[in-house]
Amino acid sequence: MSKEDVFVGAIDQGTSSSRFIIYDACARPIGCHHVEFTQFYPQAGWVEHDPMEILESVKVCVAKAVDKATADGFNVDKGLKAIGLTNQRETTLLWSKSTGVPLYNAIVWMDARTSSVCRRLEKELSGGKSHFVESCGLPISTYFSAVKLLWLMENVDAVKEAIKKKDVLFGTIDTWLIWNLTGGVKGGLHVTDVSNASRTMLMNLKTLDWDASILETLKIPAEILPKIVSNAEIIGEIGLGWPIAGVPIAGCLGDQHAAMLGQACRKGEAKSTYGTGAFILLNTGEGIIQSKHGLLSTIAFKLGPQAPTNYALEGSVAIAGAAVQWLRDGLGIISSAPEIEDLALQVESTGGVYFVPAFNGLFAPWWRDDARGVCIGITRFTTKAHIARAVLESMCFQVKDVLDSMHKDSGAGESKAKFLLRVDGGATVNNLLMQTQADLMGTPVFRPADIETTALGAAFAAGLATGIWKEDYIFNTEEKMKNANVFRPVMAEEVRKKKVDGWCKAVSRTFDLADLAL
């Protein structure tokens, strides 16, 4: 078989949509399909997904992408050699081992219902919010899977019953998909990978295994947890009933880790993905750096069972593109997300308006689940264009807050002048957003030609495990640099400083507002 007939597929299961992209041997996309799915908001601060709808969305994406590529003359049925999978992280679900039926909707990563569980743990445990940081790198927060799992165990009768009967499996979305892809109730594989496991608050960062002391402290039964594997190895074959039956699943990474690989981030290099939230990761090599500035220690990637583990510092912003969706769906200020750029360009500045989208609290580097959204500086002069521009700026300010913390933690302050931020994700098509990001940071922003680097990273992992690509090819950035857009800062330093001071003032106004809801 010639190289032209070799293909790798990537399932990219995100927070608001699922997609399947097929790549050729030169890592060029040759077929793609994506499907949005329902977001459920049962109460203020609660966010859920229907696991069956997610599964169906993936199945549709796979079938349609294969059909499109085949119609364009590519022999995908014969040439598809491996599948990589990447997914929204932390989102938590439990299902019946015997029936395959979810016991409750998936609780999404940004869901804040577990704040009372977090407060209780902080009071009960000697280390408070940081009790498990030494082991797993994460503070106690509504963000992570462990507290969502505790909520399900404490509040859902079907879960309590299933645990008694030993008929329950826990998983993040990757685990749910792989179990179903490899057979479900007929021998489906119950696995997760090191990057997804590192976001549960249950995995030891050094041993890369479930931490027995954390499980004992939280009274979580070990038998419900999946086996942990590396990011690039053959996990199992896709079962009957899928359009690509028999193809090996050979790569699995959480979405932000996949984007790091897709962007070829080596030690000392960082990327920011702009999606529903914004996620900034800095590869710290084989050393774990414990943050003193509100960031998380996590896995970057482990590209094979015997490969070295790369670690990362991460800062997570809960609301980025979701604020644009809110302008569209909640306020009706725009009718489609891309419209925000033209609207914001109608004015030269925000007119003194600052918007902080703390809809469910603030993540890094603030970690305030009592924060709520504010829009300040409004006058009779303010128009919807000023608000649109303030929403875009809020995404950039939040990313800047995280990067400032990264430079402090990594000791990279002195090399900040040479720093270049790699960006990806759907929102990066917005040129105003990218220029604003460069202006507020004072350093360049690098946007690759293919901004779907999350799916590309999953494909790279699968291709690496099956011998289609080698690491040298994946980390060769020369070709990527040739076709990239680079946005360089043009804002005067005194203007930047004034705007950052205004932003910090606006953030301080968001604190201690969670109890305003009646």
Side-chain angles (χ1 to χ4, degrees):
M1 179 178 284
S2 73
K3 211 173 175 190
E4 285 75 31
D5 297 324
V6 172
F7 306 104
V8 179
I11 295 168
D12 180 358
Q13 203 299 298
T15 308
S16 54
S17 67
S18 302
R19 74 183 67 230
F20 184 66
I21 303 179
I22 302 164
Y23 296 91
D24 66 13
C26 297
R28 292 178 299 227
I30 55 105
C32 176
H33 191 76
H34 94 281
V35 172
E36 289 196 7
F37 55 87
T38 314
Q39 310 290 311
F40 296 96
Y41 306 102
Q43 294 183 34
W46 292 32
V47 191
E48 295 177 3
H49 291 158
D50 176 353
M52 301 307 288
E53 186 185 2
I54 285 178
L55 192 60
E56 185 58 29
S57 73
V58 169
K59 192 171 271 193
V60 168
C61 287
V62 170
K64 298 267 191 188
V66 169
D67 287 348
K68 286 178 184 177
T70 304
D72 287 338
F74 298 100
N75 192 354
V76 175
D77 284 338
K78 187 180 175 190
L80 192 62
K81 297 300 174 193
I83 297 292
L85 189 151
T86 182
N87 58 286
Q88 53 167 315
R89 304 169 305 164
E90 298 99 12
T91 296
T92 300
L93 69 152
L94 295 168
W95 66 95
S96 162
K97 196 180 348 183
S98 60
T99 68
V101 175
L103 301 170
Y104 193 82
N105 270 349
I107 300 180
V108 180
W109 56 270
M110 69 177 82
D111 183 284
R113 77 185 67 189
T114 54
S115 54
S116 59
V117 177
C118 294
R119 295 297 81 76
R120 185 185 79 217
L121 291 173
E122 286 169 27
K123 282 180 187 167
E124 288 175 358
L125 300 173
S126 58
K129 195 182 192 81
S130 304
H131 189 80
F132 301 122
V133 165
E134 191 63 34
S135 302
C136 69
L138 309 176
I140 293 169
S141 164
T142 59
Y143 188 12
F144 305 115
S145 308
V147 291
K148 301 178 196 298
L149 173 54
L150 288 179
W151 187 91
L152 288 164
M153 289 166 63
E154 292 168 8
N155 293 280
V156 180
D157 290 340
V159 170
K160 294 176 191 173
E161 197 61 34
I163 288 174
K164 270 187 209 162
K165 292 178 178 174
K166 297 193 182 304
D167 182 35
V168 62
L169 296 174
F170 158 84
T172 40
I173 295 294
D174 57 308
T175 304
W176 167 246
L177 290 176
I178 291 171
W179 189 79
N180 280 286
L181 282 162
T182 57
V185 292
K186 296 176 180 172
L189 299 170
H190 190 218
V191 300
T192 189
D193 74 273
V194 287
S195 65
N196 275 296
S198 77
R199 313 297 297 176
T200 59
M201 216 172 82
L202 299 173
M203 188 190 84
N204 187 296
L205 275 184
K206 296 187 182 81
T207 66
L208 307 184
D209 207 347
W210 303 118
D211 190 291
S213 65
I214 297 178
L215 297 182
E216 190 179 336
T217 301
L218 298 180
K219 298 181 174 55
I220 291 172
E223 63 268 18
I224 73 172
L225 303 178
K227 175 188 172 188
I228 301 173
V229 299
S230 77
N231 298 123
E233 62 181 272
I234 294 175
I235 296 167
E237 290 187 354
I238 292 180
L240 298 173
W242 286 83
I244 47 176
V247 177
I249 300 171
C252 182
L253 310 93
D255 50 10
Q256 305 315 318
H257 314 268
M260 279 200 99
L261 186 57
Q263 290 272 32
C265 287
R266 298 176 186 269
K267 182 179 178 181
E269 295 176 339
K271 70 91 206 169
S272 178
T273 299
Y274 300 75
T276 304
F279 303 89
I280 307 92
L281 279 84
L282 172 73
N283 188 330
T284 61
E286 294 178 43
I288 302 171
I289 293 179
Q290 296 288 0
S291 175
K292 293 181 173 61
H293 299 93
L295 304 179
L296 310 173
S297 303
T298 193
I299 299 286
F301 39 71
K302 181 180 173 66
L303 301 177
Q306 307 307 318
T309 304
N310 271 233
Y311 292 93
L313 277 173
E314 173 169 346
S316 308
V317 172
I319 303 293
V324 179
Q325 289 174 326
W326 175 72
L327 282 188
R328 181 192 68 190
D329 304 334
L331 299 188
I333 285 178
I334 52 175
S335 56
S336 69
E339 282 177 32
I340 191 171
E341 183 172 14
D342 287 339
L343 180 58
L345 282 168
Q346 290 176 14
V347 290
E348 290 184 359
S349 74
T350 65
V353 173
Y354 288 86
F355 175 77
V356 187
F359 295 162
N360 291 24
L362 288 170
F363 286 176
W366 311 96
W367 296 107
R368 296 289 298 245
D369 59 15
D370 63 335
R372 289 297 178 267
V374 301
C375 189
I376 65 170
I378 299 169
T379 66
R380 284 294 296 271
F381 174 70
T382 304
T383 66
K384 61 184 181 181
H386 293 108
I387 290 171
R389 196 163 184 126
V391 166
L392 290 181
E393 284 195 359
S394 75
M395 295 161 71
C396 302
F397 277 123
Q398 291 180 99
V399 169
K400 178 188 164 20
D401 287 342
V402 169
L403 284 165
D404 286 347
S405 295
M406 277 182 178
H407 290 308
K408 290 172 190 168
D409 277 329
S410 63
E414 67 280 358
S415 62
K416 192 177 172 185
K418 298 176 187 171
F419 182 77
L420 177 144
L421 179 68
R422 293 161 167 78
V423 298
D424 53 68
T428 60
V429 298
N430 186 319
N431 290 332
L432 175 60
L433 179 72
M434 295 295 94
Q435 185 58 52
T436 303
Q437 188 68 77
D439 284 339
L440 292 178
M441 291 193 312
T443 53
V445 166
F446 166 87
R447 182 178 68 194
D450 181 2
I451 59 170
E452 294 298 343
T453 57
T454 304
L456 181 61
F460 277 159
L464 195 60
T466 50
I468 294 164
W469 295 307
K470 292 193 163 38
E471 273 194 53
D472 287 350
Y473 175 82
I474 292 169
F475 285 97
N476 177 4
T477 54
E478 277 182 36
E479 203 59 40
K480 295 184 177 86
M481 286 287 188
K482 277 182 200 167
N483 303 316
N485 291 101
V486 179
F487 297 84
R488 302 187 185 280
V490 293
M491 184 179 282
E493 183 59 39
E494 61 271 19
V495 176
R496 181 183 304 119
K497 187 176 184 313
K498 189 176 179 189
K499 287 182 77 68
V500 169
D501 288 345
W503 166 256
C504 291
K505 193 179 287 186
V507 168
S508 70
R509 300 290 197 272
T510 69
F511 300 159
D512 197 25
L513 297 180
D515 57 358
L516 292 184
L518 297 176

